[in-house]
Amino acid sequence: MTGEAVAEIEAEEGGPDYGRLQWRIAAGFVLGLVAGILAYTFARDAAWVETLVTYVTNPLGQIFLRLLFMLVIPLLVSALVVGIADMGEVRALKKVGLRTLLYTIIVSSIAVAISIAITNLIKPGAGVDPAEARALLAQGGEGARSIIERSGEAKTGVDAVIGIIPSNFITAMGDNDILAVMFFALFFGIGLLLMSSPRTEVLKQAFEGVFEVSMKLIGLVIQLAPIAVFCFMFNLAAQFGWDLLAKLAAFVAVVLLALGLQMFGVFPILLAFFARMNPITFFKETREASLMAFSTASSNATLPTALRVAETRLKLPPRVSRFVLTIGATANQNGTAMFEGVTVLFLAQFFGVDLSLTDQIFVMVICILAGIGTAGVPGGSLPVIALILGGVGVPPEGIGLILGVDRFLDMCRTVLNVIGDLVCATVISAYSKDVLGDAGAVPAPSL
Ligand code: ASP
């Protein structure tokens, strides 16, 4: 996708209106929570609460979720196809491209493994009364159930690996088989990258169009979030009471711990060993990019600042840093991948859904791939989380819990996304002296 396209979407999704929307979502969250806790305290098991949940708050929440789910496949497929096909613009940097890809996969895997290990260890969502959780699962209604239904039966071992390749991608979409759909999109993107003709250029633009329309529609649906969040919080608080707040606090703490480990554990090691750079100097020099990422909660909006920091502060060769940062703003999102991992596992614990090893590996792979498919805009990971939840049989209503604290966590994970890109650019630069010696011109990325 071109930089302008991102900027336009960014301006719409991440503009001042988004800030106001965040306040409305926060208000919906607090009001729903208070109303739910009041109902839990003073009218537990009252018939009118049940009627309200069955006929008002639950259906409203379902409508919001279904609108969101409806848009996820077009959004994800177009983002992946275009993300891969865009690499064609920088074909001259093939070596750097391959190294960046390898780095992204390895470091994202480490990030996701850390987040999954920590969530399994601390279990921030565990301890909810299993009977209550089951009731909530049942109450999810037809809409949620149809989304939850996993394609076919759960596959294991060799079948699970073979199953990633869809024999029919339309069926894969119909079955909500997200991994298979992602595989198809990646494969199609590679095809588009290899075949360049006037017609494939038109096709690529069409995918960009699908992405832009999907983003626009998600922007419209998100306007309903304050009402939906009120409903979700009311339903959950009326059922779980104060327990809910404690679980939520534990969730926020675990996300921050996971992000902190990557930021102050993994990144310094990468910098010191692979780029021979003092991590403290690195963090000092990249402060401006961190601040920008924190305040905008958008990797795309921070891209110009990150590019400047890379060139003027870190003194990285522009040819490498431009390439790595432009691709990385969409494809290398460590913070997002970690957040998605913690969130899915937390909600599974909360709703008492036992995730087998195969399920957890499924979550890991999707989180790593989702790093490529998640747009670098505020709240970009929410639709992806909704989809993963459906894939592992966790009630998508859980999204309501997350939305309430999402803005703050979004600001934090975006810092990790951007700093992760700068670490990547620093490491790749250190290993690209051979490429930098080449005289071949490298096209500047379109911003
Ligand atoms: N806000 C993140 C970013 O722009 C994406 C997300 O995780 O929601 O990097």
Side-chain angles (χ1 to χ4, degrees), residues 297-300 329 333 336 374-382 410 413-414 417:
S298 166
S299 309
N300 289 345
Q333 300 192 336
T336 294
T374 304
V377 296
S381 39
L382 294 174
D410 197 1
R413 67 182 181 258
T414 306
N417 287 344

Side-chain angles (χ1 to χ4, degrees), residues 65-79:
L65 283 176
R66 293 182 77 109
L67 286 170
L68 210 58
F69 282 125
M70 186 176 79
L71 297 167
V72 171
I73 295 242
L75 178 76
L76 216 64
V77 169
S78 54

Side-chain angles (χ1 to χ4, degrees), residues 365-432:
V365 175
I366 298 253
C367 289
I368 295 165
L369 283 178
I372 305 175
T374 304
V377 296
S381 39
L382 294 174
V384 182
I385 290 180
L387 203 72
I388 309 178
L389 290 179
V392 291
V394 176
E397 290 84 345
I399 265 268
L401 265 178
I402 305 315
L403 276 175
V405 286
D406 185 62
R407 179 62 178 188
F408 173 65
L409 294 178
D410 197 1
M411 292 159 89
C412 300
R413 67 182 181 258
T414 306
V415 173
L416 198 79
N417 287 344
V418 170
I419 294 302
D421 293 340
L422 285 165
V423 173
C424 176
T426 310
V427 171
I428 300 292
S429 296
Y431 279 86
S432 298

Side-chain angles (χ1 to χ4, degrees), residues 139-183:
Q139 181 199 303
E142 195 44 45
R145 223 169 297 130
S146 67
I147 294 156
I148 290 166
E149 265 169 24
R150 184 92 167 264
S151 63
E153 290 311 306
K155 304 176 200 106
T156 48
V158 184
D159 288 345
V161 178
I162 297 174
I164 294 176
I165 305 170
S167 53
N168 179 332
F169 83 93
I170 304 272
T171 320
M173 285 184 192
D175 288 344
N176 221 7
D177 190 347
I178 180 66
L179 216 49
V181 173
M182 279 179 157
F183 181 89

Side-chain angles (χ1 to χ4, degrees), residues 28 80 114 177 199 215 221 225 235-236 270 304 325-326 334 338 347 354 360 381 414 438:
L80 272 173
I114 290 178
D177 190 347
R199 278 189 292 271
M215 283 300 289
V221 173
N235 291 355
L236 291 168
L270 291 172
L325 294 176
T326 314
N334 289 180
M338 295 185 100
L347 290 175
D354 236 352
Q360 300 220 8
S381 39
T414 306
D438 293 350

